[in-house]
Amino acid sequence: LMVFLSAILIVFGICYSPLMIRVVLNQSKWTQLCESCDLLAIRLASFNQILDPWVYILLRRENIICFVKRTKRFKSTFLQRLSGIHSYGSERIAIIRHSLRHRKSQSKDVDDNLAEVNANIMPDDINDAQQI
């Protein structure tokens, strides 16, 4: 009921505010008379009678209950999909981390082997290699 009354109040305020503002401005003589502006404000105020039945139709109790159920269902499926994406992402990150660790350990072994080879090279071999 509060949602319905709030919606009716908002529609009424939007439709009749320009007319009330034009009446105050015209009576206070703050602005010049603008017949086209006055006519537009009256047309907008008459639009309230067109919108009110639609507010009654759209904000019936059955429609609000259906909307709430659909919102809850959408929220639960959205959260399930979001958690599925998150778990897929975390699994993917774990695989990438494992792969990087494996590569790092392999490169460490290669670096150790290279250091060992460099340590075993004689200084004469280095001079011969530099001359070539």
Side-chain angles (χ1 to χ4, degrees), residues 13-29:
I14 290 172
C15 290
Y16 275 98
S17 293
L19 180 63
M20 295 300 141
I21 292 170
R22 289 303 307 167
V23 167
V24 169
L25 290 177
N26 288 341
Q27 290 300 316
S28 65
K29 308 265 191 236

Side-chain angles (χ1 to χ4, degrees), residues 4 11 17 25 76 84-85 107 111 123:
F4 172 72
V11 169
S17 293
L25 290 177
S76 66
I85 290 171
S107 67
D111 289 342

Side-chain angles (χ1 to χ4, degrees), residues 101-112:
R101 284 183 191 140
H102 183 68
R103 287 182 186 172
K104 193 174 185 180
S105 66
Q106 284 180 346
S107 67
K108 187 176 182 183
D109 292 340
V110 169
D111 289 342
D112 291 342

Side-chain angles (χ1 to χ4, degrees), residues 11-85:
V11 169
F12 178 81
I14 290 172
C15 290
Y16 275 98
S17 293
L19 180 63
M20 295 300 141
I21 292 170
R22 289 303 307 167
V23 167
V24 169
L25 290 177
N26 288 341
Q27 290 300 316
S28 65
K29 308 265 191 236
W30 286 343
T31 61
Q32 296 178 353
L33 290 178
C34 176
E35 291 181 7
S36 63
C37 296
D38 294 340
L39 196 59
L40 183 63
I42 292 170
R43 286 178 182 158
L44 189 58
S46 66
F47 195 60
N48 183 46
Q49 285 82 18
I50 297 169
L51 288 179
D52 276 345
W54 284 101
V55 172
Y56 285 108
I57 291 169
L58 293 176
L59 295 180
R60 290 185 313 197
R61 184 177 182 150
E62 297 85 19
N63 290 347
I64 292 176
I65 291 171
C66 182
F67 177 75
V68 169
K69 285 181 182 178
R70 286 185 182 183
T71 304
K72 286 181 181 178
R73 190 175 349 147
F74 174 75
K75 184 180 175 183
S76 66
T77 57
F78 179 73
L79 291 176
Q80 286 175 352
R81 288 180 184 166
L82 188 62
S83 67
I85 290 171

Side-chain angles (χ1 to χ4, degrees), residues 79-122:
L79 291 176
Q80 286 175 352
R81 288 180 184 166
L82 188 62
S83 67
I85 290 171
H86 177 69
S87 66
Y88 171 75
S90 61
E91 291 170 5
R92 187 83 175 128
I93 290 171
I95 292 169
I96 291 171
R97 283 183 180 161
H98 177 71
S99 172
L100 290 175
R101 284 183 191 140
H102 183 68
R103 287 182 186 172
K104 193 174 185 180
S105 66
Q106 284 180 346
S107 67
K108 187 176 182 183
D109 292 340
V110 169
D111 289 342
D112 291 342
N113 290 339
L114 185 61
E116 185 179 320
V117 169
N118 286 337
N120 292 331
I121 294 178
M122 297 289 196

